[in-house]
Amino acid sequence: MLDARGVIGLAFLGIAMCNVPALPAGAQASGANNASGATGQQGKTPPPAPSTDNTTAGLPTEPRPNPTQPLFMRPDDRDFQRPRGYFPHPFAPYTATTTTPPRFTNTTRLNDLIRNGRLFLSLSDAVALTLENNFDIAIQRYNLDIADTDLLRARSGATLLGVNAGLVTGTIGTATASLSSGGGPGGTSVSSGGAAAGASGLALSTNQGGPLPEQLDPVLTGLVELQRSFTPELNTVFTGTDRLNQNENQYNFTYTQGFLTGTQAQFSWNNNYITQNSPFQTYSPATQSVFNLQLTQHLLRGFGTGINGRFIVQAKNNRRVSDSAFRQQVLYTVNQVENIYWGLVSAYEDVQAKQGALDQSSRLAADDQRQLEIGTLAPLDVVNARSAAASDQQALVAAKNTLEYQQLVMKQAISRNLEDPAFSSAPVVPTDRVNLAETPEETMPVDDLVRQAEANRPEIEQALLALKNDEITLKGEKNGLLPTLDAFAFYGGSGIGGQVNPLCASAQAAAFGISCAGLPQVGYGDVFQNTFNNSSPNKGAGLSLTVPLRNRQAQSEQARSVLEYRQEQMRLEQLYVQVRMQVINSQYALRNDRAQVASADAAREYAAESLKAESRKLELGASTTASVLQQERNMATAQDNFINARATYAKDRAALDNILADTLDKYGISLGDAVTGTVTQMPRIPGLEAATPEQQAPASLAPAQPRVGPQPPPGPRP
């Protein structure tokens, strides 16, 4: 048994233990640096200090990530983290809310780009339309408001529901370079370690573990009960009658509220109005009023604002995760649309190249047919030329099918409604081509690019925020190891009155020594006054101690929280390594792409000159149809290689911007415009040049038809 001094000493010991930082060994310095970030400031937590072994000697330390700006972005003026008050509508907090229905139509910008039945699309237009119409960005946009609702929930003292911070990848198209961010805290589709439930994470985690916070929203409870009872009595000694008739009305009210300090206040006020046929009651009808105010303070488990307010801090961190995840979604989707655009350019140019190859082979077949008719060419050469023309025709059909599909892929990426006849039937004509001028990123030192990527990547920002939430969980789980020691004090009063019971003057009551003579009649006003004037006080104080023996559940959860924290640290360091590898690989790829474009361009020029020379030799009788056809195939191959090499260079250049996470700044994209879905400032994408009129020549999607009937007269050879 603990005496009073022992209990008080244990209480002070518990308070001291609650004030000790909850970080495990080796993480206390990092936790001290995180004090400002845990309150929702924009500064980022530095990663754990790098080791000093030989493997990392000489490498620069990781920079602080740039926070996503602006913070707490919202699609409109509605702020879901603010509760609806009672003024001017008293019942507003108890009515369902509504939101603006989603838009399923295309913006007017899309129709403005259609001219003469064709959609002329620049890369800047494609990016602007993506910000306005893309479904992936629109779906991710809702997470901003969802995170606000979780913050409102946390301020009530409830547990968090979590926010999905994974990428939305519903847009059909080529994949882009991105890292799994772990999704941050809360429910996610992809998670790392103990951050949340998900495909790559644990089924359950210790997130939000430890003592539950106090209920911060006050609760008012009222009970009004009217009871009428008729009870036969076996013994009349206590009631004075063999049939007790009782009318009782109860009017009871309770107000309960918790506070961040771990304090709970409860005020109760009970009122009874009783009428009985018992002669032993002095008042009938009798009125009784009782009130009681009790304060309870947690001294060990659940003590302090750090424990009871930790969900609010985590909800603020989750809100910042949502901002960062939205920026990551915009980076991902914009890069995806860039890849789709360059794929469309390649398909468009490929159709033009295949059409040119078919025209050449068809012209050669017509010339050979004419020479066969005049007897100057062998039939085998004509068959060979016709076979080549048929192959080119098949290649053109395949290229047109690819172009048609690529146009459809582009349309679904930049629109919300594909059923508009003018839009769905309009061919998409890309008006931009990549400029092959060397970019500064191709020659920058790798370490400078890595530092830039580490400072800008939203995945690292989210991982650091998840680490902060894990540190908060550590404190909650450590506090959950403590016994429950509560100090409580209460004060109350009561009053009684009513009308003098007329049955109290009976002989039966007098036989028991009960007399109501001289009793005054007491109205409810006097009863109410006597209840609160300290005339009949009820007060006291005490301590309540609950010690879980063995405490295995709390031990397991606290140990698991430390392991998950260490796992999250490893995940963060892995992110740094992955970012470095992505940057190095992307820079190498860009250099190789530039060399590949130069090589393919030279090969194309050589193939064109070779075809021209071989055609002249054929005209002079110094060559054969087979040799010319071989040069045409070489020319087609060289043309394909050049188109593919230039498209690969354009995609890899955009991928490097995405890996460095500076696409928004480089392109002049406003994140606020992306949040609202209304582009007020057109993106300015560097490194582009306008397509020539020949490059914008119509590319019909109608399949090429075989030549039938008489062949046209031979024309000049290329």
Side-chain angles (χ1 to χ4, degrees):
M1 296 291 292
L2 294 175
D3 57 11
R5 290 178 298 177
V7 172
I8 295 175
L10 183 59
F12 281 107
L13 176 61
I15 295 173
M17 293 174 65
C18 290
N19 292 329
V20 175
L23 299 180
Q28 293 161 358
S30 174
N33 293 332
N34 294 341
S36 61
T39 60
Q41 300 297 322
Q42 296 180 5
K44 286 295 180 289
T45 306
S51 60
T52 56
D53 56 9
N54 294 332
T55 60
T56 59
L59 292 179
T61 58
E62 290 82 359
R64 293 175 179 266
N66 296 324
T68 299
Q69 297 289 353
L71 288 175
F72 290 78
M73 300 174 288
R74 297 181 181 89
D76 49 39
D77 296 334
R78 180 76 180 274
D79 186 356
F80 284 93
Q81 67 173 284
R82 295 185 180 276
R84 288 174 291 163
Y86 293 93
F87 182 82
H89 305 293
F91 297 101
Y94 312 106
T95 57
T97 187
T98 58
T99 59
T100 304
R103 173 177 58 85
F104 298 111
T105 58
N106 302 324
T107 54
T108 57
R109 185 190 309 273
L110 192 58
N111 293 330
D112 294 341
L113 296 175
I114 299 178
R115 301 190 300 272
N116 299 325
R118 302 167 69 195
L119 176 60
F120 291 89
L121 189 67
S122 68
L123 185 54
S124 295
D125 292 329
V127 172
L129 290 170
T130 299
L131 299 179
E132 292 179 343
N133 296 323
N134 185 265
F135 274 109
D136 287 352
I137 295 179
I139 293 172
Q140 185 72 256
R141 196 175 287 132
Y142 277 100
N143 286 334
L144 302 175
D145 287 336
I146 292 175
D148 278 344
T149 63
D150 228 22
L151 183 53
L152 177 62
R153 178 183 173 90
R155 285 171 175 161
S156 73
T159 58
L160 305 181
L161 296 179
V163 182
N164 190 337
L167 287 173
V168 184
T169 57
T171 298
I172 300 174
T174 55
T176 59
S178 180
L179 299 178
S180 172
S181 65
T188 60
S189 57
V190 178
S191 61
S192 62
S200 301
L202 304 173
L204 294 173
S205 77
T206 58
N207 187 43
Q208 305 183 58
L212 293 177
E214 292 294 325
Q215 187 68 32
L216 302 179
D217 276 2
V219 177
L220 179 62
T221 304
L223 172 65
V224 177
E225 180 181 355
L226 307 180
Q227 181 182 9
R228 306 293 183 262
S229 63
F230 302 89
T231 308
E233 299 290 334
L234 294 176
N235 192 336
T236 62
V237 174
F238 299 103
T239 61
T241 179
D242 59 353
R243 180 181 175 86
L244 180 63
N245 300 339
Q246 180 173 282
N247 298 340
E248 181 178 6
N249 299 346
Q250 296 187 46
Y251 308 92
N252 302 334
F253 304 95
T254 303
Y255 178 90
T256 305
Q257 183 175 2
F259 301 91
L260 289 176
T261 55
T263 308
Q264 184 187 69
Q266 184 179 67
F267 175 80
S268 60
W269 181 31
N270 299 331
N271 298 271
N272 288 349
Y273 180 86
I274 304 176
T275 301
Q276 292 182 344
N277 64 341
S278 172
F280 298 158
Q281 302 295 325
T282 56
Y283 289 102
S284 181
T287 303
Q288 184 178 16
S289 181
V290 179
F291 90 92
N292 186 72
L293 173 63
Q294 178 167 326
L295 299 178
T296 304
Q297 174 64 54
H298 299 306
L299 300 179
L300 293 177
R301 181 184 173 91
F303 171 80
T305 58
I307 297 300
N308 292 279
R310 69 188 190 278
F311 288 174
I312 299 177
V313 179
Q314 286 186 332
K316 290 180 178 179
N317 288 339
N318 291 355
R319 185 56 171 85
R320 296 174 62 186
V321 168
S322 297
D323 289 336
S324 178
F326 182 79
R327 178 166 67 97
Q328 183 184 5
Q329 182 71 57
V330 173
L331 289 170
Y332 176 88
T333 305
V334 168
N335 183 236
Q336 189 179 23
V337 168
E338 285 186 275
N339 288 341
I340 295 174
Y341 188 88
W342 296 125
L344 175 63
V345 170
S346 298
Y348 199 85
E349 292 180 343
D350 189 49
V351 168
Q352 294 176 324
K354 294 297 190 295
Q355 184 66 59
L358 178 60
D359 292 341
Q360 284 185 336
S361 59
S362 298
R363 190 180 301 115
L364 179 61
D367 292 346
D368 288 353
Q369 178 66 31
R370 183 65 177 271
Q371 294 183 29
L372 176 63
E373 293 175 356
I374 63 177
T376 60
L377 194 67
L380 184 60
D381 289 336
V382 176
V383 174
N384 193 4
R386 288 179 178 176
S387 175
S391 298
D392 290 341
Q393 179 180 329
Q394 186 276 331
L396 177 60
V397 171
K400 287 183 176 181
N401 291 335
T402 301
L403 174 59
E404 185 174 8
Y405 177 75
Q406 202 66 31
Q407 289 178 332
L408 185 61
V409 170
M410 174 57 73
K411 289 180 180 180
Q412 61 89 33
I414 62 175
S415 68
R416 296 191 185 181
N417 186 0
L418 295 176
E419 297 179 357
D420 182 6
F423 172 63
S424 61
S425 61
V428 183
V429 180
T431 61
D432 282 333
R433 297 297 184 270
V434 65
N435 191 317
L436 299 178
E438 188 176 64
T439 61
E441 290 80 8
E442 296 180 45
T443 57
M444 285 180 61
V446 171
D447 283 341
D448 292 346
L449 293 178
V450 171
R451 298 304 110 187
Q452 179 180 346
E454 290 176 345
N456 293 335
R457 289 293 287 265
E459 297 94 333
I460 294 179
E461 180 186 12
Q462 295 167 37
L464 287 170
L465 289 169
L467 202 61
K468 287 183 179 181
N469 279 353
D470 284 350
E471 292 171 356
I472 295 173
T473 299
L474 288 177
K475 296 179 181 180
E477 291 290 2
K478 184 174 182 179
N479 182 264
L481 289 169
L482 302 177
T484 301
L485 177 62
D486 296 340
F488 62 91
F490 60 89
Y491 174 81
S494 61
I496 193 171
Q499 298 180 6
V500 178
N501 186 359
L503 300 177
C504 184
S506 65
Q508 187 178 9
F512 284 90
I514 299 175
S515 176
C516 301
L519 286 178
Q521 181 174 333
V522 182
Y524 182 75
D526 295 330
V527 173
F528 180 83
Q529 182 179 1
N530 293 334
T531 302
F532 293 96
N533 64 4
N534 200 31
S535 59
S536 302
N538 177 30
K539 51 189 175 181
L543 292 174
S544 173
L545 176 64
T546 302
V547 180
L549 301 181
R550 304 186 72 176
N551 208 22
R552 289 182 290 184
Q553 178 179 347
Q555 291 181 45
S556 67
E557 293 178 0
Q558 191 273 335
R560 178 165 176 163
S561 68
V562 175
L563 295 173
E564 290 175 354
Y565 177 76
R566 295 304 187 194
Q567 190 178 48
E568 196 67 25
Q569 286 181 317
M570 294 295 293
R571 172 61 179 158
L572 176 60
E573 292 301 322
Q574 185 186 44
L575 280 177
Y576 286 122
V577 174
Q578 290 177 338
V579 168
R580 172 175 287 273
M581 293 300 298
Q582 281 190 348
V583 169
I584 295 175
N585 181 67
S586 183
Q587 189 185 49
Y588 286 167
L590 203 58
R591 293 173 180 173
N592 292 338
D593 292 343
R594 174 174 297 283
Q596 186 67 29
V597 171
S599 174
D601 192 22
R604 185 186 58 162
E605 292 181 359
Y606 173 75
E609 293 298 326
S610 299
L611 176 59
K612 184 184 299 184
E614 199 68 31
S615 299
R616 290 177 179 174
K617 290 169 62 178
L618 180 61
E619 291 178 353
L620 299 175
S623 183
T624 63
T625 299
S627 298
V628 174
L629 292 176
Q630 180 62 43
Q631 293 300 329
E632 287 183 356
R633 285 191 290 269
N634 294 341
M635 178 63 189
T637 301
Q639 185 73 13
D640 289 342
N641 291 339
F642 177 74
I643 293 174
N644 294 333
R646 191 163 59 175
T648 302
Y649 171 78
K651 293 179 181 179
D652 286 347
R653 193 175 71 177
L656 179 58
D657 291 337
N658 182 54
I659 290 172
L660 298 178
D662 64 347
T663 304
L664 303 184
D665 294 333
K666 181 176 290 187
Y667 292 2
I669 297 175
S670 170
L671 196 57
D673 289 352
V675 171
T676 60
T678 302
V679 176
T680 59
Q681 177 182 346
M682 283 295 295
R684 301 180 304 275
I685 303 177
L688 301 179
E689 60 186 20
T692 63
E694 293 79 9
Q695 291 173 326
Q696 296 186 40
S700 174
L701 295 182
Q705 300 298 326
R707 296 178 182 271
V708 295
Q711 300 295 333
R717 294 186 181 276

